[in-house]
Amino acid sequence: MSTKLWGGRFSDALDPLMEEFNASIAFDRRLWQADIRGSQAYAQALARAGLLTANEAEQIVAGLEQVAGDWRAEQFEVKAGDEDIHTANERRLTELIGPVAGKLHTGRSRNDQVATDLRLWLREELTKSEQKLHTLIEVATERAESEIDLLMPGYTHLQPAQPTRWSHWLLGHAWAWQRDAQRLQDLLPRVNLLPLGNGALAGNPFPIDRDWLAQELGFAAPTPNSLDGVSDRDFVAETLFWATMTMLHISRWAEDLIIYSSREFGFVTLADAYSTGSSLMPQKKNPDSLELLRGKAGRVFGDMSGLLMTLKGLPSTYNKDLQEDKEPLFDAIDTLAGALPIAAGALATLTVKRDTMAQALVPEMLATDLAEYLVRKGVPFRETHDLAGEAVALAESEGIALSDLTLTALRSLHPAFDEDVLAIWSYERSVEQRDVRGGSSRRAVKEQIDELRRWLSQSTSG
Ligand code: ARG
């Protein structure tokens, strides 16, 4: 008998380079646990279908438990010819329990097996990722609550625009992460389907109870079509999109902080624990954690685009190209697993330089408030916008701050200006005025914090 699972029709051995090229054991070994779990359930399904005696099924299940023991003790020895995790586990099982192991693969193909393993594995990993994402959102929410007093400039086009709250900025990013967590929840049902029992492509010829198998392995249902079931990798693509989007949000957040931590802005200082120095310039403290987070977003996008390219031209059902689904998926999941706690740690430990942040607020950022003042006096907004612009120009030509224009000067622009205009030159008041839902007032920001907290407590799974 051939040493290969598929060796029967072959008379010549694989070219050694082809052997190496073909093998996926180097990276799919991390599916060992999922593979054993799937096989144990499948052995029971075979017994229920009358293809294994109860005793044979017991031998297989116990043998697989021993194989699992090898892996757990890091004593599993990968041997030449172990093409992938499925062949390796079956080879070892055969060594342990003899020829009865040869009954396990009845009606099964590595095509439905690998798709099942990957879904089992991913399900666990996504739960871990979700928890890490929740921690990041919690850190942002906590800071938003305790630092709600801090005002900062808000930017559009990276130009000072209107005053806002530091908490509002924090929550702006937290909401993006909340959507990422929702997207994760949304894709889980499409991960949680069972391909096992599809055979190589055409379905299982034996009366395997796929509903029982699905239940046994914690899947919501069996996949509905065997041709699709062995080759559907939408769940991998969706995961990679989720990972890309999450990293994109982390990257944009990191970019803000890289700018805010620059000497020119000086709004925040990263903790030493998340910064590194320069080997040449002794004075440097670089935001490497944030830069790496920004950099790794590109890498995860690459994982996603690579997989989509792999999938786009495939004819129906299984093709070996699909073996290329694993490395990008593993890489993205690993990258996220590394990135999320770094983002949470960097955010939890940075120091806000409240004075520098406050000093960056300039009266010109209240030009919109000046226009809004006139709106409240009944002047149409289009006119008030022009008038406030003229006020800015006037102050500029006189070389004074917008807030230093005299009432007489303002009145020369429009008679509706009154004594009470002086009250608008307060950043706090400006921020408090934006009291609508989603705005920057203390009340509106607290409302966001409550909403995020409620969401966090309801959506914490497992
Ligand atoms: N290592 C393979 C993969 O990851 C397992 C499936 C192999 N199937 C096959 N027909 N050669 O996709």
Side-chain angles (χ1 to χ4, degrees):
M1 223 168 74
S2 160
T3 55
K4 290 238 183 293
L5 279 180
W6 39 261
R9 57 115 58 226
F10 289 82
S11 43
D12 289 333
L14 270 184
D15 178 285
L17 283 179
M18 174 56 196
E19 177 110 33
E20 204 184 310
F21 191 61
N22 188 45
S24 52
I25 185 74
F27 51 85
D28 67 17
R29 52 189 295 152
R30 70 158 81 185
L31 299 175
W32 70 263
Q33 200 159 22
D35 191 68
I36 284 174
R37 203 170 154 211
S39 285
Q40 286 179 325
Y42 193 66
Q44 287 169 276
L46 285 173
R48 290 167 58 92
L51 289 141
L52 293 179
T53 65
N55 182 266
E56 287 171 331
E58 262 166 48
Q59 284 183 63
I60 289 175
V61 170
L64 286 167
E65 210 44 60
Q66 258 180 284
V67 181
D70 288 354
W71 282 110
R72 221 170 271 125
E74 287 173 32
Q75 273 164 6
F76 189 100
E77 215 184 303
V78 174
K79 293 196 174 155
D82 284 349
E83 191 176 313
D84 52 26
I85 186 62
H86 327 292
T87 50
N89 279 342
E90 192 176 327
R91 189 262 311 147
R92 180 71 185 129
L93 179 69
T94 312
E95 285 169 7
L96 290 167
I97 67 170
V100 67
K103 291 194 170 187
L104 171 62
H105 213 52
T106 308
R108 187 173 72 166
S109 156
R110 277 182 297 159
N111 300 352
D112 57 346
Q113 187 178 1
V114 70
T116 303
D117 291 2
L118 202 56
R119 286 167 182 268
L120 277 172
W121 177 84
L122 183 56
R123 213 169 57 180
E124 302 280 307
E125 293 302 315
L126 287 178
T127 309
K128 291 186 220 161
S129 308
E130 190 187 19
Q131 254 139 32
K132 292 188 166 127
L133 194 48
H134 281 185
T135 304
L136 177 59
I137 298 169
E138 266 158 29
V139 169
T141 310
E142 255 154 55
R143 276 208 97 127
E145 182 166 58
S146 63
E147 292 169 328
I148 197 161
D149 292 338
L150 307 192
L151 301 187
M152 73 182 284
Y155 299 87
T156 59
H157 313 268
L158 208 53
Q159 303 292 328
Q162 292 186 302
T164 190
R165 287 190 189 279
W166 159 250
S167 295
H168 200 45
W169 172 85
L170 280 168
L171 293 168
H173 289 285
W175 283 113
W177 295 327
Q178 186 260 5
R179 290 193 297 280
D180 294 328
Q182 283 183 331
R183 249 184 292 277
L184 180 59
Q185 274 296 327
D186 179 72
L187 72 88
L188 274 174
R190 286 180 298 281
V191 176
N192 202 27
L193 296 170
L194 171 89
L196 199 57
N198 283 327
L201 74 160
N204 198 306
F206 304 109
I208 295 296
D209 186 348
R210 295 190 67 215
D211 291 298
W212 179 87
L213 253 183
Q215 216 180 9
E216 177 66 17
L217 290 170
F219 286 108
T223 56
N225 174 301
S226 67
L227 304 176
D228 177 47
V230 293
S231 62
D232 168 20
R233 295 295 185 273
D234 293 7
F235 69 99
V236 180
E238 285 189 58
T239 298
L240 291 177
F241 176 72
W242 163 78
T244 299
M245 207 63 200
T246 304
M247 286 305 292
L248 182 153
H249 288 143
I250 287 178
S251 177
R252 292 190 65 181
W253 162 84
E255 171 65 6
D256 271 358
L257 285 179
I258 290 167
I259 294 169
Y260 298 163
S261 68
S262 66
R263 186 186 162 82
E264 287 70 14
F265 274 72
F267 293 175
V268 300
T269 313
L270 274 196
D272 284 357
Y274 293 95
S275 318
T276 60
S278 158
S279 57
L280 177 75
M281 299 164 284
Q283 87 284 9
K284 291 289 294 283
K285 180 171 162 182
N286 299 325
D288 292 40
S289 53
L290 302 171
E291 291 167 317
L292 278 169
L293 290 170
R294 187 177 58 187
K296 282 176 193 291
R299 169 192 181 122
V300 174
F301 176 89
D303 291 330
M304 176 185 76
S305 59
L307 178 84
L308 292 176
M309 285 304 103
T310 298
L311 296 179
K312 77 167 269 294
L314 294 186
S316 274
T317 96
Y318 185 83
N319 298 271
K320 194 60 173 266
D321 316 47
L322 290 177
Q323 182 163 286
E324 292 292 312
D325 61 357
K326 281 165 217 67
E327 284 164 293
L329 180 65
F330 295 161
D331 184 66
I333 292 285
D334 290 347
T335 303
L336 266 285
L340 290 167
I342 295 293
L347 183 57
T349 55
L350 62 79
T351 314
V352 183
K353 299 201 281 193
R354 57 171 73 211
D355 294 340
T356 326
M357 213 148 77
Q359 278 154 22
L361 294 165
V362 289
E364 286 62 38
M365 297 178 77
L366 298 172
T368 315
D369 297 65
L370 191 63
E372 287 157 1
Y373 168 88
L374 287 177
V375 165
R376 290 196 170 86
K377 301 278 180 190
V379 186
F381 177 72
R382 274 295 148 229
E383 273 176 55
T384 69
H385 183 276
D386 256 11
L387 288 163
E390 283 172 38
V392 170
L394 184 60
E396 228 170 59
S397 74
E398 289 185 16
I400 58 172
L402 183 62
S403 53
D404 288 339
L405 284 175
T406 60
L407 184 57
T408 324
L410 287 172
R411 278 228 171 99
S412 74
L413 297 172
H414 199 283
F417 280 115
D418 223 329
E419 285 290 343
D420 59 354
V421 71
L422 290 176
I424 74 160
W425 305 121
S426 152
Y427 304 113
E428 179 74 27
R429 178 192 159 280
S430 169
V431 165
E432 277 307 281
Q433 205 152 264
R434 296 166 218 293
D435 188 40
V436 293
R437 212 173 148 80
S440 57
S441 77
R442 200 175 294 265
R443 189 206 60 79
V445 168
K446 279 194 173 135
E447 194 171 63
Q448 295 180 56
I449 294 173
D450 290 345
E451 215 176 311
L452 263 180
R453 287 242 165 90
R454 215 171 312 125
W455 173 83
L456 274 169
S457 67
Q458 282 165 6
S459 58
T460 303
S461 61

